[in-house]
């Protein structure tokens, strides 16, 4: 056992290399995604979207579209004015009198074929009056800024959780205050203030938000959606349309990637309205890639200003952070990202005097939503850049600086949560990542000479990361574990496994708990709300932890029933009944055993008498002890658990082109307990590469009229096979989480956090170039290198 | 819309159909033949999710008109599973956890199949080169490379 890993208790399935159970259908192309579903009488939908980022809709003429043969429904804002949302109901299904971003839906058509629908869309005439465009989040918070949502004060939202500022463009303002900032800065020997900026980015699931809805007779609604949140869709749909939840059936088949972009509710209400207008025929909408880029939401942009005060020996004594989130046109989800980012705004560091203001701000950009990491990849670009910049200013090794200021047991977070021995160890993650690629060993003189000779400068750096699930205090999961006739079991949950491996891990948990062969543990692979047990939604890396606890409780409930019926069948007391390998027996008489199959549906005596009945275990779990944060100080319990981690990279910068190659990268996560190493490795590598995409190429660009310039895979480049680092190391630290299943905590989002800052720090170490924004594209790096050279020449002259 | 007759072989089966002039091979496979294993990720030749093998070569089926396939032999992901058994590539993808959401997987496997037919023992660099047009947002690619490499190695 190394210092990084937990005790290896004897487990049968926890931590064992169990293969995922969705393999055969996924590799054979038989896995059914929403787009593969065809219903009889099904119509096809197309959208008309706004060419303007901000405009008044003066009139819409749909006559020609409606007259086209094969068109069954045309709807506009007149039919779709109802507002739908999860945290801040600020967006109507279809734009009503104003469009606030280019790509916003203005009308939709359902027709017999996609071609007819497309033609009908082209026949709709819209008269717009273009309005001034608010395309800079800094301008949007100026006191005299134009208001994009003059009715902000009337929007329904979670009161006491979010704090909109009506009369401004601020949809939410979360404050955190701790200690005394002024006094803190007085103690500082060194104060450093920097601003960091990141544009919006896209999720890019390979499958777009495909949605199929039938608004049937008697308001019976059936939805098939490529979504992450079956019960949230049902809940929010019900609230918006006043239809009982039991009338709404949400089906989630296989989902082709989400990354947060499919959390909450999206196109379901729109397609439902089309179906209703078409007399209840089912309607399918398969957004094009361009629509996925410009109509469906993105990750928010960010401008962050950080002012840090430090003593000469490197202790951070005060920090002030102001984050402006570019929410874009709507902030339904953005308000919660703002809140979550505030709780993490200083990183995993112990700082006594704190002032954080996180504002979610409306602009005329594409609107933002949840994205893997939920605000943390952006926050950590700023925080972990600032740490390196501060260390440089102090003349201190950045790792030493970090280790000196990290949170340790006994410290409190900025919201006042006590860190304990079980919270997780950012320091160990950092040390291990550095160790994996030898990131602290300086280059030799010979190596430096070689770099100078080849024009390729190398640099190394490391940075830490953290994230806790960001969710309502009451977020809950439930699970059923039912025994089949043959004594095998099937698990039902409503978490969606879009590839992260949730279902496999839940099977491992159940097999471990029930002490039965994993081959006999099945899980339902699709969710259907009338049949599946409730789950809030599949977000926040919360499946292994919360849904996992629900499955454990369901197993325990099943075990109780197994013991009861086993006692009758074995003619023993329940406490004497043991079970193993799908059999029950009396502890003192293990050679006589009864198979689960004999008690699964009831035990039958020789004369035909039967007792018991079908065995069903039920379990539930709810986030324990979370509290709303105080409006003025932000103090409270924000985090169910903190997952910490760290990256280390070595990069090589080609001076002639500005091109950066990642030579090696190490990512270490404190996962509490590794449930399945192969799956975790897959999450880490996938997340890290997505982070490299955000570092080097992924950025949404708008023109000065707020129109999106990056609408396809040519203009918006995600990493390809060739962008993978040559060497990629992953490892874990295991500090078991007391309330996680077998000590596990979530790790799905974390690998993406801090990738940008680690690479930017390595770039500074290699070249001396300090980047305060992204991406680190060859062109931008090369331009800065030229400026640097020019300055050096000027100094020499 | 004008339709024309089309005669071609898909996964060893002969088809005669009438298709519209602007139908792509992708929509023909999915909507007419019901072979929905082939996926659409972009419809613009940029992601490789729709890769099939046309007369021995990998193509983005969203960029090929169905009528261009007159007399052609097409192979889709559905051809990999034969006689109740997953192909070597399919098994390797499972073995190496070379997929997450699975949406890119059919296209990946068809590209890899074409690569292995042209080059039975590809190096990691060969794989990176040949597969560059197939995007995956989930895996970070390294498990996919490992899976393809393993099939190449065991084919000796
Ligand atoms: S769908 Fe054909 S290349 Fe993307
Ligand atoms: S597995 Fe999801 S895109 Fe490749």
């Amino acid at each position: 056992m190394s210092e990084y890993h937990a005790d290896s208790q004897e487990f049968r399935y926890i931590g064992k290399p169990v293969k995922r159970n969705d393999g055969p259908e996924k590799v054979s192309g038989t896995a059914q995604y929403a787009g593969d579903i065809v219903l009889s009488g099904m119509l096809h939908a197309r959208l008309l979207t706004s060419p303007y980022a901000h405009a008044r809709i003066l009139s819409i003429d749909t006559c020609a579209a409606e007259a086209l043969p094969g068109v069954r429904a045309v709807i506009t804002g007149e039919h779709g004015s109802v507002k739908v949302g999860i945290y801040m109901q600020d967006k109507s299904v279809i734009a009503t009198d104003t469009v606030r971003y280019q790509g916003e839906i203005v009308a939709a058509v359902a027709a017999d074929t996609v071609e007819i629908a497309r033609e009908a869309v082209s026949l709709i005439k819209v008269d717009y009056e273009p309005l001034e465009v608010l395309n800079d989040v800094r301008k949007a918070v100026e006191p005299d800024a134009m208001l994009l949502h003059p009715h902000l004060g009337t929007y329904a939202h979670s009161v006491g959780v979010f704090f909109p500022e009506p009369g401004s463009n601020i949809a939410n303002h979360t404050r955190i205050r701790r200690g005394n900032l002024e006094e803190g800065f007085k103690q500082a020997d060194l104060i450093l203030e920097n601003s960091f900026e990141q544009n919006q980015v896209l999720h890019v699931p390979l499958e777009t938000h495909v949605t199929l809805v039938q608004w049937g007779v008697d308001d019976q609604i059936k939805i098939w959606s490529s979504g992450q949140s079956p019960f949230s869709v049902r809940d929010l749909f019900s609230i918006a349309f006043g239809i009982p939840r039991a009338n709404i059936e949400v089906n989630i088949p296989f989902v082709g990637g989400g990354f947060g972009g499919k959390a909450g509710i999206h196109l379901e209400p729109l397609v439902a309205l089309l179906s209703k207008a078409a007399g209840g025929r089912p309607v399918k909408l398969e957004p094009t890639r361009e629509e996925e880029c410009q109509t469906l939401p993105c990750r928010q942009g960010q401008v962050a200003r950080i002012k840090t005060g430090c003593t000469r020996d490197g202790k951070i004594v005060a920090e002030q952070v102001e984050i402006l989130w570019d929410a874009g046109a709507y902030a339904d989800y953005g308000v919660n990202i703002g809140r979550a980012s505030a709780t993490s705004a200083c990183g995993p560091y112990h700082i006594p005097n704190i002032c954080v203001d996180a504002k979610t701000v409306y602009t005329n950009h594409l609107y933002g939503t949840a994205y893997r990491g939920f605000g943390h990849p952006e926050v950590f670009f700023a925080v972990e850049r600032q740490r390196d910049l501060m260390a440089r200013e102090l003349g201190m090794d950045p790792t030493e600086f970090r280790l000196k200021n990290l949170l340790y047991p006994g410290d409190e977070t900025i919201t006042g949560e006590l860190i304990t021995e079980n919270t997780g160890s950012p320091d160990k993650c950092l040390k291990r990542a550095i160790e994996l690629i030898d990131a602290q060993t300086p280059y030799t003189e010979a190596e430096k000479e070689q770099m100078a000779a080849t024009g390729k400068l190398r640099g190394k750096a490391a940075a830490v990361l953290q994230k806790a699930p960001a969710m309502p205090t009451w977020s809950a999961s439930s699970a059923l574990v039912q025994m089949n006739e043959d004594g095998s079991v099937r698990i039902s949950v409503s978490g969606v496994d879009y590839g992260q491996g949730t279902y496999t891990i839940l099977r491992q948990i159940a097999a471990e708990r029930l002490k039965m062969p994993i081959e006999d543990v099945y899980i339902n692979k699709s969710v259907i709300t009338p049949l599946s047990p409730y789950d809030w939604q599949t977000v926040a890396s919360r499946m292994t932890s919360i849904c996992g606890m629900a499955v454990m409780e369901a197993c325990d409930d099943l075990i109780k029933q197994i013991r009861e019926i086993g006692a009758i069948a074995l003619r023993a007391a329940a406490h004497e009944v043991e079970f193993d390998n799908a059999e029950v027996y009396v502890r003192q008489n293990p050679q006589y055993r009864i198979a689960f199959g004999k008690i699964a549906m009831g035990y039958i005596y020789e004369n035909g008498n039967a007792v018991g009945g079908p065995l069903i275990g039920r379990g539930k779990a709810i986030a324990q002890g979370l509290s709303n944060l105080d409006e003025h100080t932000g103090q409270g319990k924000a985090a169910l658990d903190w997952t910490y981690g760290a990256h280390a990279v070595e990069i090589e910068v080609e001076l002639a082109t500005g091109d950066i190659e990642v030579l090696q990268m190490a990512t270490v996560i404190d996962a509490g307990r590794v449930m399945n190493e192969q799956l975790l490795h897959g999450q880490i590598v996938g997340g890290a590469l997505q982070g490299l995409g955000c570092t080097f190429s992924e950025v949404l660009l708008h023109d000065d009229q707020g129109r999106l310039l990056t609408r396809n895979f040519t203009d918006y480049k995600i990493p390809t096979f060739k962008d993978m680092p040559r060497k990629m190391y992953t490892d874990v630290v295991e500090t078991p989480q007391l309330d996680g299943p077998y000590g596990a905590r979530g790790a799905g989002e974390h690998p993406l956090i801090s990738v940008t800052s680690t690479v930017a720090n390595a770039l500074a170490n290699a070249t001396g170039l300090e980047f305060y924004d992204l991406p680190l594209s060859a062109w931008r790096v090369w331009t800065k290198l030229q400026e640097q050279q020019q300055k050096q020449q000027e100094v020499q002259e | 819309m004008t339709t024309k007759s089309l005669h071609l072989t898909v996964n060893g089966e002969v088809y005669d159909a009438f298709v519209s002039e602007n139908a792509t091979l992708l929509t023909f496979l999915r909507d007419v033949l019901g072979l929905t294993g082939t996926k659409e990720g972009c419809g613009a030749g940029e992601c490789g999710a729709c890769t099939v093998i046309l007369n021995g070569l990998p193509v983005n089926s969203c960029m090929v008109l169905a009528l261009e396939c007159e007399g052609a032999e097409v192979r889709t992901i559905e051809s990999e599973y034969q006689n109740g058994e997953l192909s070597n590539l399919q098994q390797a993808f499972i073995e190496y956890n070379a997929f997450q959401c699975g949406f890119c997987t059919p296209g990946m496997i068809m590209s890899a199949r074409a690569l292995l037919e042209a080059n039975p023992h590809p190096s990691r660099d060969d794989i990176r080169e040949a597969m560059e047009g197939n995007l995956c947002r989930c895996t970070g690619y390294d498990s996919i490379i490992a899976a393809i490499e393993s099939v190449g190695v065991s084919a000796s």
Side-chain angles (χ1 to χ4, degrees), chain B residues 26 39-50 60 62:
Chain B
L26 175 63
K39 301 299 180 206
E40 175 172 335
C42 68
E46 294 167 346
C47 76
C50 64
N60 288 327
C62 71

Side-chain angles (χ1 to χ4, degrees), chain A residues 734-755:
Chain A
E734 294 179 291
T735 312
Q737 177 76 24
L738 289 184
D739 53 354
Y742 299 99
R745 56 175 85 84
E749 300 169 273
H750 307 78
L752 193 143
I753 304 168
S754 268
V755 174

Side-chain angles (χ1 to χ4, degrees), chain A residues 26 33 36 203 698 714 719, chain B residues 30 39 46 100-101 141:
Chain A
K26 282 184 176 171
Y33 297 80
D36 301 331
H203 303 77
E698 294 189 37
T714 307
Chain B
R30 284 182 60 85
K39 301 299 180 206
E46 294 167 346
Q100 287 179 26
C101 79
Y141 302 107

Side-chain angles (χ1 to χ4, degrees), chain A residues 500-733:
Chain A
Q500 67 286 46
T502 303
Y503 292 164
T504 307
I505 285 171
L506 297 179
R507 284 176 65 232
Q508 288 176 263
I509 289 173
E512 186 73 41
R513 205 73 178 169
L514 297 169
K515 298 196 265 185
M516 65 190 285
I518 196 153
E519 299 73 37
D520 293 338
V521 177
Y522 300 87
I523 186 161
N524 290 335
K525 295 180 208 172
S526 57
V527 178
I528 158 167
T529 50
L531 305 179
S532 310
Y534 173 85
D535 197 294
W536 176 59
Q537 46 177 353
T538 317
V539 295
S541 310
R542 62 185 280 284
M543 279 300 125
T544 296
S545 52
I546 303 186
C547 200
M549 292 306 280
V551 167
M552 269 174 71
E553 193 179 280
C555 289
D556 290 348
D557 188 32
L558 187 68
I559 289 168
K560 205 172 124 244
Q561 298 169 39
I562 289 169
R563 285 219 161 93
E564 274 164 18
I565 184 73
I568 295 171
L570 292 160
R571 296 166 208 201
H575 67 83
E576 292 173 312
V577 175
E578 286 296 336
F579 63 96
D580 195 359
N581 208 20
E583 293 169 330
V584 281
Y585 59 92
V586 176
R587 189 175 308 116
Q588 57 272 30
N589 188 14
Q591 58 279 18
Y592 180 67
R593 289 166 173 253
I594 294 178
F596 278 3
K598 287 257 177 345
I599 55 168
M601 300 297 147
Y603 180 72
I604 310 168
Y605 292 94
E606 267 166 36
N607 74 347
N609 290 165
V611 286
L615 303 184
I616 305 178
R618 71 198 163 97
K620 59 193 179 327
I622 190 162
Q624 196 278 323
L626 294 184
S627 69
N628 294 336
L629 303 181
D630 182 85
E631 177 177 0
H632 306 289
T633 65
Q635 300 301 296
K637 177 125 168 69
L640 189 66
D641 52 27
W642 286 104
T643 303
Y644 297 112
H647 302 282
V649 295
E650 180 176 27
I651 62 165
E652 184 171 79
V653 190
E654 190 173 49
L655 293 177
T657 59
D659 193 48
I660 298 175
E661 186 180 345
V662 178
L663 301 175
Q664 45 180 351
M665 176 161 186
T667 301
V668 179
I669 304 285
D670 190 341
R673 159 92 54 202
V674 178
M675 306 297 274
N676 185 320
E677 202 178 324
Q678 191 183 44
L679 292 178
L680 182 62
H681 177 82
Q683 285 299 298
I684 294 179
V685 174
L689 194 66
Q690 199 173 347
L692 289 175
C694 300
T695 308
F696 294 123
S697 60
E698 294 189 37
V699 59
L700 279 187
L701 298 174
H702 294 88
D703 68 9
D704 59 353
Q705 289 306 305
R707 286 174 299 219
L708 193 64
L709 299 167
T710 39
R711 303 184 204 174
N712 53 45
F713 286 137
T714 307
D715 299 330
Y716 188 91
K717 286 212 181 307
I718 67 167
T720 73
F721 271 92
K722 285 194 172 159
D723 299 311
M724 229 185 77
R726 292 273 157 178
K727 288 190 197 145
M728 196 122 178
Y729 304 94
T730 65
D731 201 359
V732 288
V733 168

